[in-house]
Every structure is written in structure tokens, then in C-alpha cells.
Amino acid sequence: MTTSTQPSIQPSTQERQAALKAEIAASRDREALIKAQAKTHEDTWGKGPPFFSSASFAFWQEVAKGHFHIASCSACAHKFFPPRVICPACWTPDTCTLQETAGEGRVFSFTESHAVPTRVIPIAPVLLVAVDLDEGVRVLTWLMDTPLSEVKMGQRVRIAVESVLERPTYVARRI
Amino acid sequence: MSDVAICGSAVLPNAIYFQPEEDLAMRAIVAAAKDAGIRREDIRGLIGLTPRPSATQHYMSSHIASRLRLSVEYIAEIEVAPAGLCNAIRLGAAVIREQNLPAIAIYGSARESAVPTGDYFDLRTSRISDASFNGPFGMGPIAWDALAAQELLSAGEATERDFAEISVRLRNSALQNPTAFFKKPITVDEVLASRAVASPIRLLMICPRTDGAGAIILAREDIAQRDPGRAIAHHAQAIAHDGDNVVSEFAGRSFGHMPATRAAADKAWKQTGLGPKDIQVVEPWVPFSPMEIMVMRALGYSRDYTKETTVSPSGGLVSRGHPAVPTGFYSLHEIVEQLRGEAGARQVKKARYGMTASEAGNFNTCVVDIFARFDGGTTAA
Ligand SMILES: [Zn+2]
């Protein structure tokens, strides 16, 4: 599989037309599948957030079952987070696959925040942390059960799914 | 770009208004036309910044053209984010050149007060960086700046007192600005004692969400030549987005390094042959006091930046107010008044060049604009 989206030779008009026809058919099939996923997502998560996207559908289904993952591209093996429809490294669509992770990393920065969405007010202030996982990706989440005075830059943490405000949520805890 | 110039500028005072957005906008447009000394017949184009969805009137530019009986050859609306005014100025200048129009009006207005704070967090700030992965945790502009400010504290590059001193300086500037929202002085101790909102950011380090409106008249060279000491040239513009999210894709990346601001500034310096110390007055987009340190650093200034240039003599967003859609007009208006020598008690001496840094790395976009006097001169000593 190539790691570039730039074709080395410009396609002919016939090739373009054939590719367009194939893409229209593929899009129809893809949308049929995605429509079913969107229904499942709404059954699990309501109207959101998390909002539905085909790229993160599997991720949120796993969160609902209690498992946190990062993403990896099946074409170029690039690891990234959050999941997305086009691989940011090789620009191949629909190659986002879930990658198991120990969820371990370090707090890069933190803030104790009262400025939160309405749904979160009951647990405010939250300790919002940017966690740099050992895989080299960054995850924004809450550090649980830690007073502001005890959090340190570089603090080792582990991310796992817990129930917060009666909803499965990936959060960090000190290790 | 000295063939097209800003010949008129007006802003309404930062306040809580009960008038709808279109009325605020029309007042600003007419005031800017008056400031430019231009006839309605010479305003041949209208560019608006699309109002927030909470505005009752939609298709705002078409509506305003009809209500002001403004017959135009060009009409458009531009989404405010990112840096809609900067894009509108560039577009407006291109249209004036291409169609040989005498003048174009550009406007924006907002009633932030119509949007309750809860809705503001739920429906706006939560949906900017990533509506599913970041927003629900409380990631928005305040959190971004708080994470960056914490880096500064942990690295020993700034103290909470430094942040508070910025608030006090901005407030003192605002006291000299009749269009500013805050009218009373504050002390460092009051800032440090104000409510923690997102550590280390406290209430008195945060911009108030205000209502307001602004407009400018962009005009052809012959119109600018009528009063070259009051016309302001758009000297240069540089835009950048470095391709990353404000919550970086990469471990180890600073929240406060503002790569887009650095890139835009570097490009502006290269384009103009100017450097940071050639700019007498800077109005950066800084909604939270700690951000000023990071923005000025990214623009190429030293840590002692207030010794190198005058920063936010308008009071900045933190003290003059932040009506989100038209806020850029307030920054530009200050530059216009400074370069004309009409800034009164706020006047910077020998002003020749002024700069705005819009968005300033917010969600990884920055637009740097440099303005100059149309006559190439400086204001009085
Ligand atoms: Zn890839």
C-alpha cells in the first residue's frame, strides 16, 4: 500500500469516469452501513455527545463496553488519537482501526476548571489534564480523585473507562 | 497594498444592548461612513460578518443593504471564525481593485448577552476543538489558555502575579478608552483574590462577553488621497494554521507555543522587512491575561515586550470587552485611532506602524495584519 495520495501518473478521462462510477457505488454501500451504525450509536449514546461519526463509531461502542483504545491506520500503521475518517499521515480513507493500549502516560499539563458544560456542573471543578500516552499520542480527559495541590507535571497516570455521571467515560488515575 | 486604504472606522461602546444585531450594525456602518466623510453613493460594496445563530435576522447583508437603501455591486457575508474581519479586508481590497469601486463597507455585530453562559459552553466553546473528544470534558478557549499558563508557571517563565499585572495594565488602559466595558481600576491583589475559573486563570484575567458592533470603510486611492493623514493603509497580511489541533495530535507539544502565530509573524516580517521593534502599537487577540505573554513571544518580542512596543492600549479583550463577532473591529479601530494621532490620552508617540494578531493561535489559526499611515508619516512626538 502506498503512503502517498499523489498519483504518479495522471489518470485518463476513461479511468476517471470508471473511478467515479466505482466511488458512487462504494459510497452507496458505505452509507447503508453507516446509517445502521448511526442508529446503533444513538441507541447507545442518545443524541450525543459523543456525536456519531463512522470513524469513531467502533471506539465509542468499545467505551460503552468499558474499553479504551487509541487508533491506528491499517494502511501505514500510524498511531493517532482521536479516531478519524482519513488517516492524518497517509490520507487513506476508512483505514482507522482500534489499537489496544495500556493507557499509560504522563500528565503534560493540567487545570482545575469550573468552566464546564452544563452536564458536568455536578462534578465541577474538574481536573482537566492533557495526558501524553507512551505511544506518543495525546488524550484530553479528567484526572480523578486528585486535589489540585497534588497533581504534578509529568505525573504518571493510566486511562481507563469508568462510570462518571452515570455514563461510561474514559478518565485518568494516578499510578 | 497602499492603493486601497481604510478611510473610516467606527465602533459602538462595549455594553449590554437590547437592540437587535442589525440595528447595532447599521449604526456602526453609518458612523464609519460619516468618519470617512464619504457619500452613500460611493459605498458600492457591503461585506458582513455572519451573525451568531442567535440573531433573529438572517441574510444580514442583504437585509442591511435594503434597510440602508444601499445600492451595491458587491455583497457578501463571511463567517467570523477564524478572523473574519481580516479576510473581509483582503477580499474587499481585491474587489475594489478588480471592479474599480470607490468604497466598500465592512461590518460586524453581536449580542453575546442573548446567549446564556450555559448555552455558550454547551453549544459553542465545547464544539470548537473537537465536539466529541475534547468539548465534553470542558475543553474550550479558557481551558486551552489555562493548560498553557500552567506550563509557563511550571517552567518558571511566569508567576500568577505576572498574569495579574497584565490584567491591571489592561484595566488602566481601558480607563482611558471611552468604548471600553470596564470603568473602574483594579489592583493586583484584587485580581489574585478573584474567583478561580480554570487554574491558574481567575475571573479578573478573563474577558467579559459584551455586545457591540463595528464597521470600516475601505476605499480606493483617490478617496484616501482626500485626507491622507487620516487614511490607514493595509500594509501586509500573513495567515497561518500549522495543521494540528489545539489539543495536539503529538505528545510533548506545548499548548502555549502557538506555531501558527510564529509562522504568521515570521511571514509578515519577511514580507515587509520590518521587525517587532518597528511596530509602535500592537493589538493582539488575547481574551485571557496569561495568553498575552505567549502571543507576544510568538510574535517575536522578548519577555519584556512592554518595553519594546505598546500592547493593547485599548484595554484589550480583557478590559475593553469581547463581543465575539465584531471584536476585530475594536482592535483595528484602536490601531486606526493611534496611527491617525486621534487616540487622546492613550496616544502612542511617533506611531507609524500598528499590528493586530487575530485569533492568535486560537484553535491553531493566526492572522497578522500590519497597518501604516497612508501618507507614510508618523504621528507627533
Ligand atoms: Zn495511514
Side-chain angles (χ1 to χ4, degrees):
Chain A
M1 185 67 78
T2 172
T3 55
S4 170
T5 54
Q6 307 303 319
S8 53
I9 301 164
Q10 291 287 310
S12 68
T13 303
Q14 273 176 336
E15 283 168 331
R16 276 182 214 279
Q17 285 170 346
L20 178 62
K21 216 173 163 182
E23 170 54 24
I24 289 168
S27 177
R28 202 168 40 229
D29 295 347
R30 195 186 302 129
E31 279 302 308
L33 175 70
I34 290 172
K35 188 179 172 189
Q37 288 179 344
K39 169 82 170 59
T40 306
H41 185 86
E42 192 173 330
D43 290 346
T44 311
W45 293 101
K47 297 272 182 207
F51 302 104
F52 171 74
S53 112
S54 59
S56 61
F57 168 73
F59 173 86
W60 291 113
Q61 286 301 305
E62 283 297 301
V63 169
K65 290 178 206 151
H67 309 300
F68 175 77
H69 293 77
I70 60 171
S72 154
C73 172
S74 60
C76 78
H78 177 63
K79 292 189 182 74
F80 54 100
F81 188 85
R84 57 193 84 172
V85 70
I86 307 279
C87 169
C90 73
W91 271 24
T92 314
D94 305 311
T95 53
C96 179
T97 53
L98 294 184
Q99 162 97 28
E100 299 226 343
T101 172
E104 291 184 13
R106 291 181 187 280
V107 169
F108 180 81
S109 193
F110 59 87
T111 175
E112 185 182 68
S113 180
H114 298 259
V116 293
T118 311
R119 202 185 79 83
V120 180
I121 288 173
I123 59 162
V126 295
L127 196 58
L128 187 68
V129 288
V131 176
D132 286 353
L133 293 186
D134 296 341
E135 287 91 341
V137 301
R138 177 167 287 175
V139 180
L140 190 92
T141 185
W142 295 319
L143 181 57
M144 306 303 280
D145 295 334
T146 307
L148 179 62
S149 58
E150 284 181 26
V151 62
K152 290 185 184 64
M153 301 291 257
Q155 167 86 55
R156 290 289 295 177
V157 296
R158 182 184 297 118
I159 292 177
V161 174
E162 298 182 10
S163 178
V164 182
L165 292 164
E166 298 176 349
R167 193 187 296 214
T169 310
Y170 56 89
V171 296
R173 283 188 182 275
R174 289 181 284 178
I175 49 175
Chain B
M1 290 194 206
S2 64
D3 55 331
V4 174
I6 296 162
C7 292
S9 174
V11 292
L12 304 191
N14 275 275
I16 303 303
Y17 287 103
F18 295 94
Q19 310 173 45
E21 285 83 347
E22 59 271 30
D23 291 2
L24 296 173
M26 286 188 275
R27 289 179 196 277
I29 292 167
V30 169
K34 194 176 171 192
D35 179 63
I38 202 164
R39 297 177 312 151
R40 177 200 336 221
E41 293 71 25
D42 284 335
I43 300 174
R44 303 295 299 159
L46 184 65
I47 302 177
L49 304 188
T50 303
R52 295 298 193 195
S54 53
T56 47
Q57 182 65 48
H58 287 216
Y59 272 48
M60 190 70 93
S61 291
S62 296
H63 178 74
I64 284 177
S66 76
R67 288 294 181 254
L68 289 177
R69 210 178 291 160
L70 203 52
S71 167
V72 295
E73 296 170 61
Y74 187 82
I75 187 162
E77 274 190 40
I78 291 184
E79 170 61 41
V80 64
L85 173 58
C86 308
N87 289 301
I89 291 174
R90 189 150 162 185
L91 173 64
V95 169
I96 288 173
R97 286 186 200 107
E98 187 186 303
Q99 295 184 221
N100 192 30
L101 303 184
I104 279 181
I106 302 173
Y107 73 90
S109 67
R111 282 183 67 230
E112 284 294 302
S113 62
V115 181
T117 304
D119 289 355
Y120 181 72
F121 282 121
D122 292 353
L123 302 175
R124 194 180 301 163
T125 63
S126 292
R127 296 191 177 196
I128 304 176
S129 77
D130 189 301
S132 293
F133 286 87
N134 297 336
F137 291 99
M139 185 67 192
I142 296 179
W144 166 52
D145 192 44
L147 292 163
Q150 183 58 50
E151 281 182 51
L152 284 180
L153 294 184
S154 295
E157 291 175 41
T159 63
E160 291 186 60
R161 195 173 178 86
D162 292 338
F163 301 156
E165 283 172 355
I166 292 169
S167 295
V168 171
R169 196 197 83 239
L170 293 171
R171 183 64 68 92
N172 288 338
S173 298
L175 299 180
Q176 307 294 334
N177 179 359
T179 67
F181 185 72
F182 286 123
K183 311 285 188 195
K184 289 181 189 153
I186 49 170
T187 65
V188 166
D189 288 343
E190 281 169 342
V191 178
L192 291 175
S194 64
R195 184 162 66 78
V197 176
S199 67
I201 299 179
R202 294 177 178 278
L203 187 63
L204 291 178
M205 300 175 188
I206 298 176
C207 63
R209 294 173 54 223
T210 54
D211 304 338
I216 60 166
I217 303 295
L218 207 57
R220 206 170 53 196
E221 184 174 10
D222 56 307
I223 308 247
Q225 286 295 0
R226 291 179 195 164
D227 196 353
R230 291 188 87 245
I232 303 302
H234 187 210
H235 191 63
Q237 181 176 80
I239 306 181
H241 183 298
D242 97 318
D244 197 2
N245 195 283
V246 69
V247 178
S248 178
E249 186 184 344
F250 308 105
R253 259 205 171 188
S254 164
F255 281 89
H257 74 154
M258 300 182 172
T261 307
R262 269 171 216 277
D266 286 350
K267 196 171 150 195
W269 303 137
K270 279 200 190 84
Q271 267 177 44
T272 58
L274 299 172
K277 289 178 187 171
D278 296 317
I279 308 294
Q280 287 77 38
V281 51
V282 183
E283 281 281 338
W285 186 90
V286 170
F288 318 105
S289 299
M291 193 191 287
E292 188 180 275
I293 294 172
M294 301 169 242
V295 173
M296 294 307 288
R297 179 175 63 186
L299 290 173
Y301 290 90
S302 76
R303 182 67 178 77
D304 263 344
Y305 53 83
T306 54
K307 292 193 179 119
E308 296 173 337
T309 189
T310 299
V311 187
S312 296
S314 69
L317 282 62
V318 172
S319 275
R320 75 168 189 241
H322 180 30
V325 174
T327 216
F329 289 90
Y330 290 81
S331 299
L332 177 56
H333 188 69
E334 181 68 21
I335 297 293
V336 168
E337 291 205 316
Q338 290 288 351
L339 294 179
R340 284 171 168 177
E342 295 177 354
R346 309 186 311 285
Q347 184 62 48
V348 171
K349 292 185 173 72
K350 290 194 173 177
R352 179 171 187 180
Y353 293 106
M355 181 166 82
T356 56
S358 306
E359 291 289 344
N362 188 41
F363 302 100
N364 203 330
T365 296
C366 184
V367 186
V368 168
D369 286 286
I370 297 176
F371 300 92
R373 283 172 62 95
F374 190 73
D375 64 9
T378 59
T379 57

